[in-house]
């Protein structure tokens, strides 16, 4: 019974087709002007793409930050019925 439950749980998790993980660290960062940034990940047809982003420490009105860490995780899932056309590409060594 436990084995069947584990199989069902594994089947319920749709694997991601494209994944992007970024972890960046900086000793210091200067904020020149206040603005908003946005990162979107989409696929056609989309089957549940998402983005998670975290910045520490939060600016909270400061213009100078020390020991900044940025973590971004983005994933895209391509839905059923997607047509994928690939062209063969020959790379010339440079």
């Amino acid at each position: 019974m436990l084995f069947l439950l584990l199989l069902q749980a594994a089947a319920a998790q749709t694997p991601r087709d494209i994944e992007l993980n970024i972890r960046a660290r900086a000793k210091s960062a200067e904020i020149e002007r206040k603005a908003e940034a946005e990162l979107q990940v989409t696929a056609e047809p989309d089957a549940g793409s998402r983005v998670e982003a975290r910045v520490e420490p939060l600016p909270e009105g400061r213009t100078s930050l020390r020991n900044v860490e940025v973590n971004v995780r983005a994933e895209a899932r391509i839905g059923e019925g997607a047509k994928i056309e690939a062209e063969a590409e020959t790379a010339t060594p440079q």
Side-chain angles (χ1 to χ4, degrees), residues 17 19-20 39 45 50 53-54 63 65 70-71 81 85 92:
D17 297 305
E19 182 177 357
L20 173 68
L39 174 65
R50 65 190 182 106
R54 188 182 50 154
T63 59
L65 300 173
V70 177
N71 289 302
E85 297 176 17
T92 306

Side-chain angles (χ1 to χ4, degrees), residues 9-10 16 20 25 29 36 55 59 63 66 69 80-81 88 93-94:
R16 55 202 160 269
L20 173 68
R25 292 183 193 180
E36 290 187 24
V55 178
T63 59
R66 297 270 185 232
E69 186 170 312
E80 293 292 323
Q94 296 180 6

Side-chain angles (χ1 to χ4, degrees), residues 12-58:
Q13 296 177 358
T14 307
R16 55 202 160 269
D17 297 305
I18 301 168
E19 182 177 357
L20 173 68
N21 289 304
I22 300 170
R23 182 177 179 187
R25 292 183 193 180
K27 288 184 179 181
S28 64
E30 299 292 324
I31 300 172
E32 294 181 4
R33 57 187 153 161
K34 185 178 176 181
E36 290 187 24
E38 183 177 313
L39 174 65
Q40 292 182 339
V41 177
T42 59
E44 286 296 327
D46 198 335
S49 301
R50 65 190 182 106
V51 175
E52 297 172 9
R54 188 182 50 154
V55 178
E56 291 180 358
L58 293 174

Side-chain angles (χ1 to χ4, degrees), residues 70-92:
V70 177
N71 289 302
V72 176
R73 181 176 181 190
E75 57 186 46
R77 292 184 175 95
I78 300 172
E80 293 292 323
K83 287 186 178 179
I84 299 174
E85 297 176 17
E87 292 182 17
E89 199 174 293
T90 56
T92 306

